[in-house]
């Protein structure tokens, strides 16, 4: 959970009396800073273009609670308050958070379910499906959990906006048909990459319309940055005027590092992930750089997804190999994506495996490379003209991946120049897709509403 209580005091609060907007598929309580970045980016971004919006965010908690996000402005903190409503796949059918109860309540005018009432009262429901989960690539259970709320919204006759995300691939004809039904029924649909846009257009068929169906960018490009208040000296180091050596940031994914066999089985990783990162890290140090290891998924130590465990594991391996550990720093496990984005923005070059860690770099103009375990990464990098900065350990050999990353590190000035040329267009796309959400919420778009 993102807690911004201290930052709120004295801030500028916004939102009340305008369109009612429900945000789905971006719960702020997953521990995955990528999903948290989606949540904050949508809430803060929508409130910029629709400052009087009344916002509700579906999460995995119990009951109804209050929440807030803030961003720093020249006038002080701008605070956006919203309502948090728990919704979950659960066999405890008596609980109001259970989707079974939500479904039943929607048929009865919302009685007994805050989530059902929120949907029925909404001017628009904005669903982002975690950014990349509108697919059957991860199996039928994941697909079903990703579409159930969308179908409930459409069945209730409410406007549905599919915020920028990846669509497909769809391998099962039945699930592809369900996806097509949802996409054609939505009031607006946005893709965050070219391949997803092509899949979306195929699903839409003759229902495609350029004003309602956009090829955009990941919403986290709009996430602001915030300097950490407490960072064990890291923030001071990153802002130091005497920092002479170039700083490489490296996100190590616990999903891949902590269990290589699982990574091979579940994601098709054939390259030696641990080995190639050790080669990259040693090269950075040998080239005269410093290394900052950056966790981006916050879970308890020992959990198979813990990025902090993975970062500390790489640090230990480097120490055992005789690398000067005074040149290696492990960043704290921040629970706020704005703070980790600020940290990434202070590096001279960044490489990530968690895709939203790399978006933190791309969106702040840092030359950025990626170790991809999904095709989604190349698509998002391509929106910035940076597809060549993606290395794929599923299809490329260990040495090839390491060489590609090292070349990116050594050519970071050239990479940064190419990225700088693309960012104005990317930021314009980011703003236009937020404006589209606001237009649908206000009923200003021709043809808006369930199709």
């Amino acid at each position: 959970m993102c807690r911004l209580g201290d930052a709120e005091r004295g801030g500028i609060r916004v939102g009340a009396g305008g369109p009612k907007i429900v945000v789905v598929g971006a719960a702020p309580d997953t521990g995955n800073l990528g999903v948290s970045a989606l949540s904050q980016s949508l809430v803060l971004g929508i409130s910029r273009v629709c400052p009087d919006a009344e916002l509700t965010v579906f999460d995995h908690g119990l009951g109804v609670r209050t929440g807030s996000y803030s961003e720093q402005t020249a006038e002080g903190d701008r605070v956006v308050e919203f309502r948090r409503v728990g919704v979950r796949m659960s066999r405890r059918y008596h609980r109001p958070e259970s989707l079974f109860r939500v479904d039943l309540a929607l048929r009865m005018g919302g009685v007994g379910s805050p989530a059902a009432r929120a949907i029925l009262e909404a001017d628009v429901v904005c669903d982002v499906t975690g950014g990349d989960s509108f697919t059957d690539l991860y199996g039928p259970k994941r697909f079903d959990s990703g579409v159930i709320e969308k179908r409930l919204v459409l069945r209730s006759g409410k406007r549905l906006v599919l915020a920028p995300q990846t669509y497909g691939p769809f391998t099962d004809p039945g699930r592809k048909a369900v996806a097509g039904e949802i996409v054609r029924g939505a009031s607006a649909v946005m893709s965050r990459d070219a391949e997803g846009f092509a899949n979306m257009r195929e699903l839409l068929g003759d229902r495609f319309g350029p004003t309602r169906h956009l090829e955009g960018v990941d919403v986290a490009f709009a996430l602001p940055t915030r300097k950490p208040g407490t960072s064990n000296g890291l923030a001071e180091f990153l802002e130091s005027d005497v920092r002479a050596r170039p700083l490489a940031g490296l996100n190590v994914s616990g999903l891949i590092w902590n269990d290589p066999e699982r990574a091979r089985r579940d994601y098709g990783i054939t390259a030696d992930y641990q080995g190639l990162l050790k080669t990259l890290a040693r090269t950075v140090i040998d080239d005269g750089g410093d290394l900052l290891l950056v966790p981006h998924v916050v879970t308890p130590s020992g959990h198979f997804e813990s990025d902090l465990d993975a970062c500390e594991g790489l640090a230990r391996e480097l120490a055992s190999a005789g690398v000067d550990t005074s040149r290696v720093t492990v960043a704290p496990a921040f629970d706020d994506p704005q703070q980790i984005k600020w940290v990434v923005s202070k590096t001279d070059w960044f490489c990530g495996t968690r895709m939203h860690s790399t978006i933190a770099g791309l969106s702040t103009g840092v030359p950025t490379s990626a170790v991809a375990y999904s095709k989604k990464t190349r698509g998002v990098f391509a929106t910035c003209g940076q597809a060549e900065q993606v290395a794929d350990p599923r299809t490329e050999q260990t040495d090839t991946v390491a060489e590609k990353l090292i070349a990116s590190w050594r050519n970071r000035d050239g990479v940064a120049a190419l990225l700088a040329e693309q960012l104005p267009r990317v930021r314009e796309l980011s703003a236009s897709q937020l404006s589209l959400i606001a237009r649908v919420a206000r009923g200003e778009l021709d043809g808006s509403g369930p199709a």
Side-chain angles (χ1 to χ4, degrees):
M1 183 191 306
C2 180
R3 293 183 174 87
L4 299 173
D6 291 338
E8 292 167 17
R9 286 191 281 272
I12 304 165
R13 298 175 184 269
V14 298
K20 294 180 172 62
I21 301 175
V22 177
V23 174
V24 178
D29 54 0
T30 66
N32 185 322
L33 292 186
V35 179
S36 297
L38 293 175
S39 181
Q40 292 197 24
S41 299
L42 277 170
V43 168
L44 292 170
I46 291 171
S47 72
R48 290 187 208 111
V49 296
C50 194
D52 58 345
E54 295 184 11
L55 289 154
T56 297
V57 177
F58 284 3
D59 66 10
H60 301 122
L62 298 177
V64 179
R65 289 140 289 124
T66 58
S68 65
Y69 294 140
S70 68
E71 63 179 332
Q72 295 172 333
T73 72
E75 293 76 29
D77 275 4
R78 189 182 74 98
V79 180
V80 180
E81 297 179 328
F82 57 92
R83 182 175 55 160
R84 298 176 63 157
V85 176
V87 179
R88 54 175 64 181
M89 296 285 286
S90 173
R91 293 182 180 178
R92 296 182 177 181
Y93 302 127
H94 65 285
R95 292 291 314 176
E97 298 83 16
S98 164
L99 277 166
F100 172 84
R101 280 285 303 276
V102 176
D103 185 6
L104 181 63
L106 284 170
R107 301 171 189 268
M108 301 173 62
V111 176
S113 169
R117 288 196 299 274
I119 291 171
L120 293 174
E121 294 171 359
D123 293 291
V124 67
V125 176
C126 183
D127 193 320
V128 72
T129 329
D132 74 329
S133 295
F134 200 175
T135 175
D136 61 7
L137 183 66
Y138 307 123
K141 184 176 181 180
R142 178 95 167 260
F143 175 81
D144 291 343
S145 66
V147 303
I148 185 169
E149 288 165 311
K150 300 174 180 61
R151 300 183 84 176
L152 292 178
V153 171
L154 292 175
R155 197 193 68 203
S156 300
K158 308 303 293 186
R159 295 189 185 101
L160 173 67
V161 166
L162 297 177
Q165 56 193 280
T166 298
Y167 299 86
F170 300 102
T171 58
D172 178 82
R175 289 190 282 273
K176 185 175 181 179
V178 170
E181 174 188 313
I182 291 169
V183 168
R184 290 189 295 273
S187 298
V189 185
M190 292 162 273
S191 173
R192 69 176 184 179
D193 57 65
E195 185 172 346
F197 183 68
N199 290 336
M200 178 237 287
R201 287 200 67 161
E202 180 185 357
L203 294 173
L204 285 164
D206 60 7
R207 301 295 297 276
F208 174 78
T211 60
R212 296 196 295 137
H213 305 123
L214 304 182
E215 179 181 348
V217 297
D218 192 285
V219 294
F221 275 90
L223 182 73
T225 63
R226 176 180 292 276
K227 179 182 175 180
T230 302
S231 64
N232 297 328
L234 177 62
E236 292 72 21
F237 164 71
L238 294 175
E239 287 193 321
S240 172
D241 292 334
V242 299
R243 184 163 62 87
R245 292 187 292 264
L247 178 65
L250 178 59
N251 162 247
V252 188
S253 169
L255 194 65
I256 311 302
W257 177 280
N258 294 333
D259 191 342
E261 176 55 30
R262 182 173 187 155
R264 183 197 63 77
R265 183 184 68 245
D266 292 351
Y267 299 101
I269 305 294
T270 55
D272 177 5
Y273 181 72
Q274 294 188 3
L276 69 90
L277 290 192
K278 285 186 279 188
T279 297
L280 172 62
R282 284 195 298 267
T283 301
V284 167
I285 301 299
D286 291 343
D287 285 354
D290 287 333
L291 184 64
L292 176 65
L293 304 179
V294 182
H296 208 262
V297 167
V298 182
T299 60
S301 180
H303 190 280
F304 74 94
E305 281 214 59
S306 172
D307 282 10
L308 183 58
D309 282 359
C311 289
E312 291 176 342
L314 174 56
R316 286 193 298 271
E317 292 284 339
L318 294 174
S320 297
V323 173
D324 180 2
T325 55
S326 69
R327 307 266 294 279
V328 180
T329 302
V330 178
F334 297 109
D335 64 356
D336 180 357
Q338 292 188 41
Q339 293 181 359
I340 206 67
K341 184 172 181 175
W342 183 91
V343 169
V344 171
S345 76
K346 297 299 181 180
T347 61
D348 298 297
W349 177 81
F350 186 78
C351 176
T353 303
R354 303 286 190 180
M355 196 189 68
H356 275 95
S357 75
T358 64
I359 291 176
L362 292 171
S363 60
T364 53
V366 174
T368 300
S369 189
V371 183
Y373 61 92
S374 168
K375 62 194 301 183
K376 64 186 180 182
T377 305
R378 184 175 294 274
V380 169
F381 269 65
T383 64
C384 302
Q386 299 291 298
E388 294 305 311
Q389 301 305 314
V390 178
D392 195 334
R394 302 169 305 159
T395 59
E396 298 171 333
Q397 295 182 344
T398 303
D399 290 347
T400 302
V401 175
E403 289 167 3
K404 184 177 287 189
L405 300 177
I406 291 168
S408 177
W409 153 253
R410 289 176 172 168
N411 186 38
R412 55 190 178 275
D413 290 342
V415 175
L418 292 174
L419 177 59
E421 293 176 1
Q422 297 293 322
L423 280 180
R425 177 188 59 82
V426 171
R427 289 167 180 152
E428 183 177 341
L429 283 172
S430 179
S432 66
Q433 60 199 24
L434 289 167
S435 295
L436 177 57
I437 295 171
R439 290 175 65 199
V440 174
R442 295 189 183 279
E444 298 172 354
L445 186 66
D446 289 340
S448 65

